[in-house]
């Protein structure tokens, strides 16, 4: 059976949700006639037309704010950021309005929007286009943040996000869109992956590698190498959802392996892994045989130079080295 | 003389000619209620009963009351942080508004929003927004929602003269005309963005609404202190929204008698108290309307006094209601953050949502 690519899985989820609910509308730059800058929305405009798949001007604060306003009247906009880095020109709308309006209205309003787009470095596009703001948004109560690593989870989480009645920011990855390592054998039946559920992607006994997004793929490759070359049986935990967070799966894994290395493309200071580390030391301290270590991006703006950027973000050799430091 | 001719012109338009005496008295009552509510807010703020900022609407009442009086079931309002007048004009109670200022659980936002964040979606009132111009894309979205669902309505999005220089407003104007959305941006121009005059903050030809020319958006300016004129110009814009799904920018000149907020230490320095006194004397929207109704024999001095006394009592009673209400429980601080959690749906039960100890 042919595997479905991450990009195709997202496309299928969007297509099905357009069919399932006529309030769903896809809005973004180049999402319609151009078929998406990364082809995630390929063919949807042709199938669904101008009303359901809408090209916008380059105007993120305007169209995302507009989507938030429309959602208050029951429309369910799925808005693409060509890069999640572009969220920074729309932060007032994405944080002050989307995240706070339910609270400030005493629960009388809700905001069922999805903002989706790639949140990753590693493509040599320089610092402005390589931000990974999942930690930034997960810091904001009122928002939900998911970061699928595989086509299966991208499909299931996108469907859950669209059906959810709170704002959900779906962090994708340009390097995963066409990556065979992230492709999945998808069932023909519709299914969802619940937001707030992590998954053990590989069972192991010696150390827990805990990651989200593309770092899960890196962790799986590192686990393979650790097994084959070092005789270390690593478990890989995929967070899938950052907020809400499945603490139970994380703690269960650490209680089993007694060691944790966190792999996180965020910069280290207050990255997603900072929260995971805090949780482990607070709730599984007695299970730990070693300090919790992290492999994050090297703490500088994303460098352009292609070979250096590959070292700046988490990669297999950095993970293998870090695991060995556990002793 | 010119003003009299213009007022006459607007009073003779169908939108105003059709008003009953009861309608006209109701406008007076609503304006007086707003003023007495704001005066009571100021009094109890100064007594230390509430925190934060307090942006008073005193002097601008005719705009909220005049525009709200035209709204039907599919028309919506959204504004910035000077929102008490709009809230009362759409029918929110003084009790829920005052209790919100006191931070009490009986407030319109359960004490979670405060002065700048009043909401009543059941009355098509979508806030109450604290960030200057942050509401302008939301207003656009309300119009998008109306058009998407084929409803004949309009989104009235209010902003101050200081908001016209924010990028999000210009992005909204571009989209409003590009997609022909039924949004009406209503600039309440009180001349000052906080302490900076329009002359020191904005580049403009004649008026701010004229910036609509850059986007091909219809615009108009008017005197905000005259309910007849406010209604006439707003009606024209609403017809354009309802019938042709086209946006409009309206700019109404007005005057806020108080500082930007009660915390405005320089309120008497950047403009002269004499100018405000002159405005109050000659152009106060309540006085202007009251005199007109006296002249039209719609109400007399006694009738006015009765209405004014009732508004004063209502405001005072709202403060008692607020005082006697409870603060929210500490345990409620994480309620109303997520719909799915509040409603304990399957999604709301999955994973950890809150991370404090």
């Amino acid at each position: 059976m042919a595997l479905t690519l991450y990009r195709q899985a997202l496309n299928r989820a969007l297509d099905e949700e357009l069919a399932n609910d006529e309030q769903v509308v896809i809005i973004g730059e180049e999402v319609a006639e151009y078929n998406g800058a990364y082809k995630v929305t390929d063919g949807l405009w042709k199938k669904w037309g101008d009303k359901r798949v809408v090209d916008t001007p380059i105007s993120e604060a305007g169209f995302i704010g507009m989507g938030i306003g429309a959602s208050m009247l029951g429309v369910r906009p799925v808005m693409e950021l060509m890069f999640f880095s572009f969220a920074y020109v729309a932060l007032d709308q994405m944080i002050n309005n989307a995240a706070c309006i339910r609270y400030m209205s005493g629960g009388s309003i809700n905001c069922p929007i999805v903002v989706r787009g790639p949140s990753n470095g590693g493509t040599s596009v320089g610092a402005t286009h390589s931000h990974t703001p999942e930690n930034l948004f997960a810091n904001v109560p009122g928002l939900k943040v998911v970061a699928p690593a595989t086509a299966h989870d991208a499909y299931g989480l996108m469907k859950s996000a669209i059906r959810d009645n709170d704002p959900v920011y779906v962090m994708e990855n340009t390097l995963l869109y066409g990556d065979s390592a992230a492709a999945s054998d998808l069932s023909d039946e519709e299914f969802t992956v619940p937001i707030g559920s992590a998954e053990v992607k590989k069972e192991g006994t010696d150390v827990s590698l805990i990651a989200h997004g593309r770092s899960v793929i890196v962790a799986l490759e590192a686990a393979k190498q650790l097994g084959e070359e070092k005789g270390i049986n690593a478990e890989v935990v995929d967070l899938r959802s950052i907020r809400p967070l499945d603490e139970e799966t994380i703690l269960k894994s650490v209680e089993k392996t007694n060691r944790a290395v966190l792999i996180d493309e965020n910069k280290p200071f207050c990255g997603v892994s900072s929260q995971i580390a805090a949780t482990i030391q607070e709730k599984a301290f007695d299970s730990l045989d070693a300090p919790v270590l992290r492999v994050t991006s090297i703490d500088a703006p994303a460098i352009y130079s292609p070979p250096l950027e590959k070292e700046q973000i988490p990669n297999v050799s950095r993970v293998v080295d870090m695991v060995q430091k556990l002793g | 003389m010119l003003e009299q001719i213009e007022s006459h012109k607007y009073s003779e338009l169908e939108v105003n000619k059709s008003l009953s005496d009861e309608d006209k008295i109701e406008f007076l009552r609503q304006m007086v209620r707003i003023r007495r509510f704001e005066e009571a807010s100021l009094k109890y703020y100064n007594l230390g009963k509430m925190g934060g900022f307090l942006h008073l609407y005193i002097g601008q009442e005719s705009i909220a009351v005049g525009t709200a009086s035209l709204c039907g079931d599919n028309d919506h309002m959204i504004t910035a942080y000077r929102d008490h007048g709009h809230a009362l004009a759409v029918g929110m109670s003084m009790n829920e508004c005052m209790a919100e200022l006191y931070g009490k659980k009986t407030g319109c936002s359960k004490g979670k929003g405060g002065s700048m964040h009043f909401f009543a979606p059941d009355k098509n009132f979508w806030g109450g927004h604290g960030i200057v111009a942050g509401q302008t894309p939301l207003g656009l979205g309300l119009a998008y929602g109306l058009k998407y669902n084929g409803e004949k309505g309009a989104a009235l999005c209010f902003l101050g003269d200081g908001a016209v220089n924010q990028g999000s407003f210009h992005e909204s104007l571009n989209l409003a005309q590009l997609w022909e959305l039924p949004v009406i941006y209503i600039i309440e121009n009180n001349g000052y963005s906080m302490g900076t005059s329009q002359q020191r903050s904005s580049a403009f030809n004649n008026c701010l609404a004229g910036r609509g020319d850059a986007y091909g958006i219809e615009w108009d300016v008017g005197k905000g202190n005259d309910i007849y004129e406010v209604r006439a110009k707003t009606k024209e814009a609403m017809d354009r929204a309802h019938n042709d799904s086209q946006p409009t920018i309206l700019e109404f000149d007005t005057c806020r008698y108080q500082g930007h907020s009660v915390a405005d230490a320089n309120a008497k320095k950047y403009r002269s108290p004499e100018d405000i006194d002159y405005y109050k004397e000659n152009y106060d929207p309540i006085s202007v309307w009251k005199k007109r109704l006296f002249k039209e024999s719609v109400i007399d001095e006694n009738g006015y006094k009765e209405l004014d006394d009732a508004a004063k009592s209502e405001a005072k009673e709202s403060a008692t209601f607020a005082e006697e209400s409870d603060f929210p429980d500490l345990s409620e601080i994480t309620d109303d953050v997520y719909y799915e959690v509040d409603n304990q749906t399957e999604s709301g039960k999955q994973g950890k949502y809150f991370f404090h100890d």
Side-chain angles (χ1 to χ4, degrees):
Chain A
M1 190 184 218
L3 293 179
T4 302
L5 293 173
Y6 191 100
R7 160 194 291 125
Q8 295 166 328
L10 288 167
N11 185 279
R12 182 180 145 189
L14 296 170
D15 185 27
E16 287 173 0
E17 292 310 300
L18 281 164
N20 288 340
D21 184 348
E22 64 182 22
Q23 291 298 322
V24 172
V25 55
I26 292 173
I27 299 173
E29 293 155 10
E30 310 290 5
V31 297
E33 299 191 30
Y34 194 91
N35 285 311
Y38 287 99
K39 302 289 176 262
V40 170
T41 54
D42 193 19
L44 297 180
W45 173 70
K46 197 172 175 198
K47 180 171 175 185
W48 293 100
D50 289 333
K51 184 179 177 188
R52 308 295 302 283
V53 185
V54 182
D55 275 328
T56 69
I58 300 171
S59 186
E60 288 86 359
F63 77 75
I64 290 182
M66 188 199 76
I68 296 165
S71 80
M72 302 192 302
L73 289 186
V75 181
R76 304 183 81 88
V78 180
M79 293 171 283
E80 174 174 307
L81 284 168
M82 197 182 292
F83 291 80
F84 238 104
S85 294
F86 301 168
Y88 294 15
V89 296
L91 281 191
D92 179 45
Q93 298 303 322
M94 294 178 71
I95 293 178
N96 273 320
N97 288 343
C100 301
I101 202 155
R102 178 170 180 78
Y103 199 66
M104 295 194 305
S105 65
S108 63
I109 297 173
N110 57 304
C111 180
I113 61 161
V114 172
V115 181
R116 51 156 292 268
S119 166
N120 62 284
T123 57
S124 304
V125 288
T128 56
H129 284 55
S130 303
H131 293 289
T132 54
E134 52 266 34
N135 56 332
L136 187 154
F137 290 116
N139 186 253
V140 181
L143 298 181
K144 298 179 180 177
V145 181
V146 300
T150 65
H152 175 276
D153 293 345
Y155 169 85
L157 284 168
M158 182 59 72
K159 289 175 77 79
S160 291
I162 295 170
R163 296 175 188 188
D164 202 276
N165 288 303
D166 294 307
V168 185
Y169 297 172
V170 182
M171 307 285 178
E172 304 166 5
N173 191 306
T174 54
L175 292 172
L176 295 182
Y177 284 145
D179 186 349
S180 59
S184 307
D185 182 1
L186 283 196
S187 151
D188 289 338
E189 297 291 311
E190 287 190 39
F191 65 90
T192 60
V193 170
I195 294 169
S197 71
E199 186 180 64
V200 175
K201 285 283 196 281
K202 176 193 172 296
E203 299 267 356
T205 51
D206 299 337
V207 57
S208 299
L209 305 181
I210 302 170
H212 67 274
R214 181 171 167 271
S215 293
V216 173
I217 306 296
V218 173
L220 286 167
E221 184 59 32
K224 195 173 161 215
Q225 202 169 311
L226 285 164
E228 286 168 0
E229 297 173 16
K230 312 289 178 193
I232 296 171
N233 185 7
E235 175 149 306
V236 176
V237 178
D238 178 0
L239 299 177
R240 301 201 292 196
S241 172
I242 312 296
R243 184 175 188 144
L245 182 68
D246 180 357
E247 285 191 349
E248 213 179 305
T249 300
I250 297 167
L251 295 172
K252 208 173 134 194
S253 176
V254 174
E255 280 156 10
K256 178 169 77 168
T257 65
N258 309 115
R259 290 177 175 80
V261 173
L262 316 181
I263 301 124
D264 179 8
E265 197 180 311
N266 276 167
K267 299 299 189 298
F269 195 100
C270 295
V272 168
S273 52
S274 309
Q275 178 65 34
I276 308 301
T279 300
I280 294 170
Q281 69 81 23
E282 187 183 330
K283 297 182 176 170
F285 186 78
D286 290 338
S287 299
L288 287 174
D289 287 344
V292 176
L293 298 179
R294 297 191 292 159
V295 178
T296 66
S297 284
I298 292 173
D299 206 7
I303 192 169
Y304 158 67
S305 185
L308 270 76
E309 198 195 13
K310 287 186 176 57
E311 291 303 318
Q312 183 173 20
I313 63 176
N315 58 33
V316 174
S317 69
R318 287 180 58 201
V319 176
V320 169
D321 289 350
M322 191 62 82
V323 169
Q324 289 176 285
K325 281 186 192 165
L326 284 171
Chain B
M1 192 61 194
L2 182 67
E3 274 174 30
Q4 280 177 10
I5 292 165
E6 282 190 357
S7 289
H8 181 68
K9 185 174 88 184
Y10 295 117
S11 69
E12 288 305 308
L13 292 174
E14 185 53 33
V15 62
N16 291 324
K17 234 169 104 177
S18 60
L19 290 167
S20 66
D21 288 356
E22 288 71 31
D23 293 332
K24 293 176 185 178
I25 292 169
E26 187 58 21
F27 297 164
L28 185 62
R29 178 181 293 115
Q30 294 309 334
M31 288 198 289
V32 171
R33 283 180 72 243
I34 292 170
R35 183 156 305 179
R36 298 309 177 213
F37 177 84
E38 293 292 62
E39 288 167 353
S41 303
L42 177 59
K43 177 181 165 187
Y44 293 104
Y45 182 93
N46 287 332
L47 286 171
K49 297 292 186 186
M50 42 190 96
F53 299 131
L54 185 70
H55 306 87
L56 297 170
Y57 199 61
I58 298 174
Q60 305 185 198
E61 296 90 341
S62 43
I63 300 176
V65 171
T67 52
S69 69
L70 293 163
C71 288
D73 289 348
N74 283 328
D75 299 310
H76 298 262
M77 282 173 61
I78 182 167
T79 188
Y81 44 81
R82 200 178 304 285
D83 61 349
H84 307 172
H86 307 78
L88 294 175
V90 301
M92 291 175 73
S93 73
M94 283 197 197
N95 279 1
E96 63 183 315
C97 292
M98 189 63 84
E100 187 61 30
L101 297 180
Y102 274 61
K104 298 297 182 74
K105 66 197 298 179
T106 52
C108 54
S109 298
K110 304 180 187 168
K112 291 175 174 177
S115 166
M116 300 188 283
H117 310 114
F118 288 3
F119 292 85
D122 60 322
K123 298 178 177 65
N124 289 0
F125 180 58
W126 302 93
H129 294 269
I131 302 297
V132 173
Q135 80 282 12
T136 56
L138 299 183
L140 185 75
L142 293 170
Y144 186 90
L146 287 168
K147 187 168 183 177
Y148 187 84
N149 284 311
E151 279 155 358
K152 187 173 176 174
L156 279 60
C157 180
F158 298 84
L159 58 152
D161 45 299
V164 302
N165 298 318
Q166 288 277 41
S168 56
F169 177 52
H170 288 267
E171 293 192 31
S172 300
L173 293 181
N174 180 54
L175 290 167
Q177 190 58 62
L178 186 70
W179 290 343
E180 301 183 315
L181 299 177
V183 60
I184 303 168
Y185 287 107
I186 300 175
I187 304 167
E188 299 189 57
N189 187 346
N190 60 31
Y192 292 86
S193 51
M194 197 168 158
T196 304
S197 68
Q198 185 180 327
Q199 285 68 29
R200 292 202 299 124
S201 60
S202 295
F204 62 98
N205 284 325
N206 304 317
C207 67
L208 299 174
R211 290 184 180 185
D213 281 341
Y215 302 96
I217 297 181
E218 293 284 346
W219 57 270
D220 202 353
V221 293
K223 293 194 306 297
N225 69 330
D226 177 8
I227 284 210
Y228 280 147
E229 185 166 346
V230 168
R231 278 174 52 87
K233 297 202 156 154
T234 306
K235 179 69 166 60
E236 199 179 318
M238 288 178 81
D239 286 345
R240 190 175 292 125
H242 289 173
N243 302 330
D244 307 321
S245 190
Q246 291 291 333
T248 304
I249 307 173
L250 295 176
E251 177 180 352
F252 290 121
D253 283 335
T254 185
C255 179
R256 65 164 154 80
Y257 298 170
Q258 303 290 322
H260 164 71
S261 76
V262 177
D264 183 353
N266 293 329
K268 290 185 178 152
K269 291 182 184 163
Y270 55 78
R271 55 184 190 166
S272 81
E274 291 76 22
D275 286 351
I276 298 169
D277 287 343
Y278 184 79
Y279 189 93
K280 283 184 195 171
E281 193 67 34
N282 297 284
Y283 300 103
D284 178 72
I286 295 177
S287 301
V288 166
W289 189 246
K290 185 174 69 173
K291 280 179 201 157
R292 177 166 292 132
L293 298 200
F294 285 176
K295 208 170 138 191
E296 292 182 13
S297 303
V298 169
I299 194 170
D300 60 14
E301 194 63 67
N302 280 339
Y304 173 74
K305 189 172 180 309
E306 212 171 285
L307 169 160
D308 189 28
D309 287 346
K312 283 178 185 163
S313 302
E314 189 186 359
K316 195 176 171 197
E317 283 158 18
S318 74
T320 307
F321 172 80
E323 182 75 43
E324 290 172 353
S325 294
D326 292 331
F327 287 107
D329 296 333
L330 191 57
S331 65
E332 290 167 336
I333 205 165
T334 52
D335 292 345
D336 306 313
V337 181
Y338 295 98
Y339 173 96
E340 304 288 354
V341 175
D342 294 337
N343 292 285
Q344 278 301 291
T345 61
E346 280 308 306
S347 166
K349 288 183 211 161
Q350 189 83 42
K352 187 176 168 73
Y353 277 85
F354 302 104
F355 296 86
H356 53 281
D357 58 300

